[in-house]
Amino acid sequence: MSQVRVHNFGLSIDGYGAGRNQGLKEPLGVGGEELHEWIFGTAYWHERTGESGGSTGKDDAWLRAGDEGIGSTVMGRNMFGPIRGRWDADDDARSWHGWWGESPPFGHDVFVLTHHGRDPLPMAGGTTFHFVTDGIRAAIEAARKAANGGDVRIGGGVHTVREAVAAGLVDQLHLAIAPVLLGAGEQLFTGNWAADGYRLVESEQGEGAMHVRLQHS
């Protein structure tokens, strides 16, 4: 059976996966973009954004590994966009197609957790967003089918990762711990992850972040 994986999930050293006051102007919350600074200098990021150059060190290797073998993605509505409530409530909700523009970087089926149904949204580049109203388990099951034997990636945000971990649905997590103190925002670690069966199996200091991999036993 395919695995459910979390990859390249930015985390501050005080445990926050997003800053406070997330919204249209601050999608990752105040200071949240600093959690992902390690990504932007890598060769893989440069390739994806049509640039040349970039580093080919440990950060680059971890970033690349996050896309290997992935057949579908599950994300929360907050990761998809800042719009709340019914999709047909106003023009912004109807026209919102995600943070990534007309050609999202996924290239496969993406399942968005929401309380409000919406028709599938096909985009350029092979991405189709599906909107799931009956919870994380249903979203992961649909994602497994769509992955055609590939792995399912939990893309975020923090609440969605926490919910999947609490339900024991995540097989492995790669956390990239940035040298940043946020002081407030969304905490990733709640509950007792060790008691839930998660163990540290790998750690490595990269150029811009400490990379740790947790495995569900």
Side-chain angles (χ1 to χ4, degrees):
M1 181 180 289
S2 65
Q3 288 205 325
V4 177
R5 296 156 44 188
V6 173
H7 277 280
N8 303 317
F9 192 90
L11 196 66
S12 69
I13 58 175
D14 50 348
Y16 293 98
R20 67 184 187 281
N21 299 329
Q22 295 175 72
L24 186 60
K25 293 184 178 180
E26 296 275 6
L28 301 173
V30 176
E33 189 167 338
E34 295 181 59
L35 303 179
H36 306 279
E37 289 291 333
W38 66 275
I39 292 175
F40 304 136
T42 64
Y44 189 47
W45 179 260
H46 281 224
E47 292 169 17
R48 290 176 58 178
T49 55
E51 305 173 67
S52 59
S55 65
T56 58
K58 295 175 180 177
D59 287 345
D60 185 68
W62 280 95
L63 186 63
R64 290 177 187 272
D67 283 340
E68 293 172 0
I70 299 296
S72 62
T73 294
V74 173
M75 67 175 62
R77 184 164 176 179
N78 196 49
M79 184 174 176
F80 179 74
I83 307 299
R84 295 293 177 268
R86 290 169 53 90
W87 295 108
D88 60 355
D90 55 47
D91 288 340
D92 287 341
R94 281 192 293 270
S95 62
W96 185 263
H97 292 172
W99 294 110
W100 306 275
E102 296 299 322
S103 184
F106 304 98
H108 54 231
D109 290 297
V110 178
F111 296 84
V112 181
L113 293 162
T114 176
H115 294 296
H116 302 276
R118 180 176 177 177
D119 290 337
L121 182 62
M123 304 289 287
T127 299
T128 296
F129 292 107
H130 305 268
F131 301 90
V132 181
T133 59
D134 43 359
I136 186 70
R137 291 183 182 275
I140 289 177
E141 183 58 32
R144 283 193 194 277
K145 293 176 181 177
N148 292 319
D151 288 344
V152 175
R153 176 175 52 208
I154 305 289
V158 178
H159 177 80
T160 299
V161 173
R162 283 202 314 256
E163 185 179 15
V165 165
L169 299 174
V170 181
D171 297 295
Q172 61 173 294
L173 302 96
H174 161 223
L175 308 177
I177 303 172
V180 173
L181 281 168
L182 288 186
E186 285 198 77
Q187 284 270 7
L188 179 63
F189 294 109
T190 59
N192 188 336
W193 286 35
D196 289 339
Y198 289 92
R199 299 288 182 270
L200 176 66
V201 294
E202 187 176 6
S203 65
E204 183 176 44
Q205 179 62 53
E207 295 79 16
M210 168 64 78
H211 301 276
V212 300
R213 187 166 63 88
L214 307 178
Q215 188 82 33
H216 190 262
S217 56

